[in-house]
C-alpha cells in the first residue's frame, strides 16, 4: 500500500508580511497556493499511489471561494483519471457544512463529514484492502477528546490506518500521541504546521503544512510518501513548496564603513543557494562596528536598497523581508557592570511565567489587552530587542560622560 499524507494546505490563505509592489512577486503570491496543490497531485501520479490522505484544513476559511473550490475539484478529477482516490477530512478552519460547497465532489473522493469517528474501507489495486478511521470538525472547536472512540484494528482488511486533526490543547480534540492505538499500521496527524515524525513503530506523523504562509513556518518539509507492506513501513518527504521562509544570521566583526558593511551583507545573502521560485529572507545582523547605532537609525533605507538590489541580482528569487541590526558589545563594562548581566536578566524574562508577570499590567488594560498575544518566538524576539535597547542607552550614557 502506498499513499501520500498531507494536511493544513490552507489553499486560500494569503502570505503574511510580503509587501512588495513587484508585479512578478504579486503574481507569484496569487498563484503559489494552487501550484502547491497541483504539485501534490503531480507527485501522487508520479509515485503511483493508491490514495491521497488530507487530514483537515484544506481551506483556510470556513467559507472558501467558488474559484478555489473549482480548482480543488479539478485537481481531484486529475487523480480520478489515474484511478487514485482521495481521503479527505475537515479541520477547525474549514469545518464541514454541506451548503458551503458549489460543486459535486468527484466520485474518487471519500469524505469524512461527521464529528464522530467513522471507519471506511478502500479496496487497493493489488487486491489488498485498508480500513481508514477518523473524524471531521463540524464546528470551529472540538473540545472533547476523540481518541477513545477509535475502533480496534480491523481483522477484515489487510491494513488499518487512522488520522487525527488535533493537538494537546483544550479546543482541538485534545490528545497525546501515546494514546493512539499501537495496533494500527499508520497514524496521519494534522493541525500542527511543523513536519514531525512522532513515532516509527507504529509510524505516527504530523505532515505539517506543505507551504508556509508566515515567517514562523520556516520548517516545512513537504508531504509524506508512505509505503506499508507485510514487512513494515517506509516513508520519505517530498518537497512541494513554492515559497520558502529563511532566517539568516550575519556577524561582522571588522570595522567597516557603512558602504563596505552594506556590500558585505549583500554578498553574504547572495552567496547562499536559493532553490525556490521565491525565497523570503530575514536577516539578523550583529556587528562590533561603532557605526551600528547609525545603521539602526537608517535601517529602513538600508532595507529598501537591499530589497531592490537582491531582487535584481537573484532574478527575482530573493525578497529581503526584514533586517535587524544589533551591536555586539562583548564583555565591555557599562556603568560599572558587564553586559553579560543584561544577557542573564534577558534569559530570565524569556521564561513564560516571568514574562507574563512583567506584562501583567498591560494585560489588565481592556482597551489594549485584546490586541496583545505572545508566542514563544515573539517573547524571545521582544526580550532580545529590549536587551539591546538597554545596552544602546547605557553605552550612550557611558560615552557621553567620558
Amino acid at each position: 500500500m502506498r499513499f501520500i499524507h498531507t494536511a493544513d494546505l490552507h489553499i486560500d490563505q494569503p502570505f503574511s508580511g510580503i509587501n512588495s509592489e513587484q508585479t512578478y512577486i504579486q503574481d507569484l503570491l496569487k498563484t503559489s497556493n494552487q501550484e502547491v496543490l497541483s504539485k501534490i497531485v503531480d507527485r501522487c501520479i508520479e509515485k503511483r499511489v493508491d490514495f491521497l490522505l488530507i487530514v483537515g484544513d484544506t481551506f483556510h476559511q470556513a467559507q472558501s471561494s467558488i474559484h478555489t473550490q473549482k480548482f480543488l475539484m479539478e485537481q481531484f478529477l486529475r487523480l480520478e483519471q489515474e484511478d487514485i482516490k482521495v481521503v479527505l477530512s475537515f479541520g477547525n478552519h474549514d469545518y464541514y457544512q454541506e451548503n458551503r460547497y458549489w460543486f459535486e465532489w468527484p466520485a474518487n473522493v471519500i469524505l469524512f463529514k461527521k464529528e464522530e469517528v467513522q471507519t471506511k474501507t478502500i479496496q487497493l489495486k493489488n487486491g489488498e484492502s485498508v480500513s481508514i478511521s477518523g473524524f471531521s470538525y463540524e464546528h470551529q472547536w472540538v473540545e472533547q477528546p476523540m481518541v477513545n472512540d477509535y475502533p480496534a484494528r480491523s481483522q477484515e482488511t489487510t491494513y488499518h490506518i487512522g488520522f487525527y486533526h488535533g493537538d494537546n490543547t483544550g479546543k482541538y480534540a485534545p490528545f497525546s500521541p501515546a494514546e493512539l492505538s499501537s495496533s494500527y499500521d499508520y497514524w496521519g496527524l494534522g493541525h500542527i504546521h511543523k513536519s514531525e515524525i512522532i513515532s516509527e513503530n507504529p509510524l505516527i506523523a504530523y505532515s505539517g503544512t506543505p507551504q508556509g504562509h508566515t515567517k514562523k513556518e520556516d520548517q516545512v518539509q513537504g508531504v509524506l510518501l508512505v509505503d506499508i507492506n507485510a514487512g513494515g513501513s517506509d516513508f520519505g518527504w517530498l518537497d512541494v513548496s513554492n515559497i520558502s521562509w529563511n532566517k539568516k544570521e550575519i556577524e561582522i566583526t571588522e570595522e567597516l564603513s557603512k558602504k563596505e558593511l552594506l556590500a558585505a551583507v549583500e554578498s553574504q545573502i547572495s552567496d547562499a543557494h536559493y532553490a525556490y521560485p521565491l525565497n523570503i529572507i530575514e536577516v539578523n545582523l550583529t556587528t562590533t562596528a561603532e557605526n551600528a547605532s547609525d545603521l539602526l537609525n537608517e535601517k529602513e533605507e538600508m532595507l529598501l536598497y537591499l530589497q531592490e538590489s537582491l531582487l535584481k541580482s537573484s532574478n527575482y528569487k530573493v525578497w529581503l523581508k526584514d533586517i535587524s541590526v544589533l551591536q555586539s558589545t562583548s564583555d565591555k563594562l557599562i556603568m560599572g557592570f558587564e553586559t553579560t548581566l543584561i544577557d542573564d536578566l534577558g534569559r530570565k524574562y524569556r521564561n513564560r511565567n516571568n514574562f507574563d508577570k512583567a506584562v501583567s499590567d498591560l494585560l489588565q488594560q481592556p482597551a489594549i489587552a485584546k490586541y496583545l498575544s505572545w508566542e514563544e518566538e515573539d517573547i524571545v524576539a521582544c526580550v532580545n530587542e529590549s536587551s539591546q535597547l538597554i545596552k544602546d542607552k547605557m553605552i550612550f550614557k557611558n560615552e557621553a560622560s567620558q
Side-chain angles (χ1 to χ4, degrees), residues 116-117 133-135 142-152 163-167 172-182 184 187 189 204:
E116 61 186 49
V117 176
S133 298
F135 67 94
V142 175
E143 298 187 3
Q144 73 277 13
M146 304 291 287
V147 68
N148 293 326
D149 297 338
Y150 281 76
F163 64 82
Y164 201 108
H165 189 96
D167 61 19
Y172 305 108
F175 82 107
S176 102
E179 298 175 279
L180 302 175
S181 173
S182 60
Y184 280 29
W187 282 95
L189 308 182
I204 303 173

Side-chain angles (χ1 to χ4, degrees), residues 199-215:
S199 164
E200 292 193 26
N201 188 24
L203 187 53
I204 303 173
Y206 276 106
S207 64
T209 181
Q211 172 59 69
H213 290 85
T214 75
K215 66 178 183 179

